[in-house]
Each structure stands twice: as C-alpha cells, then as structure tokens.
Amino acid sequence: MISQQPIVFIVDDDPAVRDSLTLLLKQEGVSVQTFENAETFLSAYQPDCKGCIILDVRMPGIDGMQLQEKLSHCNCMMPIIFLTGHGDIPMSVRAIKAGATNFLTKPITRAKLLDSIQSAFLENKKLLEANQHNQDAISRLTSLTKREREVMELAIQGYHNKEIASRLGISFRTVEIHRSNIMHKTGAINLLDLARIAYESGLGS
C-alpha cells in the first residue's frame, strides 16, 4: 500500500459502489485501492500510507464507525470521508466529532466527491508534514546529554545563564559551553528557534 502519490482507499462491501467509484476516480487520474471490508483494509494498512479513505458505514464484521475508531487509536493520518446510503444526522455528527473530514450520502455528485477528496489530500499533506517536523525535532534532541537537556529546559523558560548555573549548581562558564553545544546539536539559530524545536518534539507542549 506504500506510494509516494496519494491514494484513495475505498472500503465498501458493495462491489458496484467500489467499481463505480474506481472508474470515476481513475478517469480523474486519481490512484485507487479498494477493499470489501474493514478487516482486509486493516491487514494491508501501513502508517506511512498517503491519501484518504472513503468509508461506508454499514458493513459486515467491523463497521465504518468501528474502523474509524481503530484507525484513530493507531494515529492514522489519512482523513476519512464517510460515503453511505444509511446516514442520519446523529451518525454524521458522531463521525465528524471523531475526526472524519466529511460525511456524504449516496448518491453523490462527481464534483462534490472530488472536492471532498482534494480537501482530504491537502489535510493529509499538512498532517504528514507536521509529523515529519515533530520527528525531526525529536531526532535533534536525542543527541543532547542529560545536563544539556536540563540547561535547555531552563533556557527556554527564560532563565539567564547565571540563574541556570545557580539552579543546577554548575559554573557560569559550564552553562555557556552547554548552551553552545545545544545550539550546535539542534541546529537552532537562536533561543526562539530552540523553543520551537522543543515544542515540536513535545517537550514544550
């Protein structure tokens, strides 16, 4: 399922729906993969998949809402578009609150479906980029020693070198050396940039 291009993953137990959606999307140059139930999708799913999921609500076994919950638990970053002939307002509200980007009812116009997919692709791109920034930030901070992390945490809280030295029981010159090492290892250009890296890693959240 890995691809550099975004894919629309269709999960629907109705073969006619799968075939019609596949034809429509391929005519638009969109890559498609189809699954007849949630179980087969889950067996093929990989975290680095790019694109979005078009998901039916009522399916044998794991239904659409249950699949949405499972994907949420594994931090899936592909937006979900529900497309169903059995939707109602409470169901759509529940799906949207759980993170679905759209809740569409069959039959759906070509334009509305394509608009929803393009919006989902953009959302997926943003989520993937944010996740990459987060991973990069974590990678930068793993190279810091325990003492350097302590100095960094105090520095981004606004403490000056003399205050940091006093709090940690080390010399002013040692703090200066640690700060220099921190900036070099993280690639931060200034204290504000260092705070951003710490925040993106989860340290500053």
Side-chain angles (χ1 to χ4, degrees), residues 13-80:
D13 64 319
D14 187 337
V17 171
R18 296 197 304 271
D19 290 345
S20 63
L21 289 176
T22 297
L23 178 61
L24 184 156
L25 294 175
K26 286 190 173 180
Q27 288 174 343
E28 297 292 330
V30 178
S31 298
V32 181
Q33 290 189 25
T34 64
F35 302 86
E36 62 183 359
N37 53 50
E39 289 83 353
T40 56
F41 174 79
L42 287 171
S43 67
Y45 168 75
Q46 295 182 25
D48 53 1
C49 292
K50 295 180 180 180
C52 68
I53 303 165
I54 294 181
L55 181 58
D56 192 13
V57 174
R58 294 184 181 177
M59 295 184 292
I62 299 172
D63 66 27
M65 306 296 280
Q66 291 170 330
L67 177 58
Q68 181 188 29
E69 184 177 358
K70 287 180 179 292
L71 291 172
S72 176
H73 287 162
C74 63
N75 297 317
C76 174
M77 285 179 283
M78 287 194 295
I80 292 174

Side-chain angles (χ1 to χ4, degrees), residues 48-191:
D48 53 1
C49 292
K50 295 180 180 180
C52 68
I53 303 165
I54 294 181
L55 181 58
D56 192 13
V57 174
R58 294 184 181 177
M59 295 184 292
I62 299 172
D63 66 27
M65 306 296 280
Q66 291 170 330
L67 177 58
Q68 181 188 29
E69 184 177 358
K70 287 180 179 292
L71 291 172
S72 176
H73 287 162
C74 63
N75 297 317
C76 174
M77 285 179 283
M78 287 194 295
I80 292 174
I81 300 169
F82 277 99
L83 179 59
T84 179
H86 307 285
D88 55 36
I89 293 176
M91 186 183 294
S92 64
V93 170
R94 176 185 165 196
I96 297 298
K97 282 186 175 181
T101 59
N102 217 329
F103 194 96
L104 308 174
T105 54
K106 303 170 186 175
I108 182 73
T109 66
R110 185 188 194 98
K112 190 170 184 179
L113 179 62
L114 292 174
D115 283 347
S116 295
I117 289 172
Q118 289 304 316
S119 295
F121 279 175
L122 289 174
E123 178 66 18
N124 179 236
K125 183 180 179 181
K126 290 178 183 178
L127 290 171
L128 290 172
E129 288 176 348
N131 182 65
Q132 186 60 54
H133 285 312
N134 178 267
Q135 294 303 315
D136 289 344
I138 292 173
S139 176
R140 293 185 193 187
L141 296 186
T142 55
S143 64
L144 300 182
T145 65
K146 180 180 177 182
R147 179 62 83 188
E148 287 168 350
R149 285 180 64 91
E150 291 172 342
V151 171
M152 181 191 71
E153 289 171 16
L154 291 172
I156 63 178
Q157 289 174 34
Y159 292 100
H160 298 295
N161 286 359
K162 287 184 179 180
E163 295 171 310
I164 295 172
S166 175
R167 281 175 169 269
L168 297 180
I170 56 179
S171 71
F172 177 83
R173 177 57 182 159
T174 299
V175 173
E176 288 185 320
I177 293 171
H178 282 318
R179 288 189 65 155
S180 176
N181 289 340
I182 291 165
M183 302 302 277
H184 175 72
K185 288 181 179 181
T186 62
I189 57 176
N190 52 39
L191 190 59

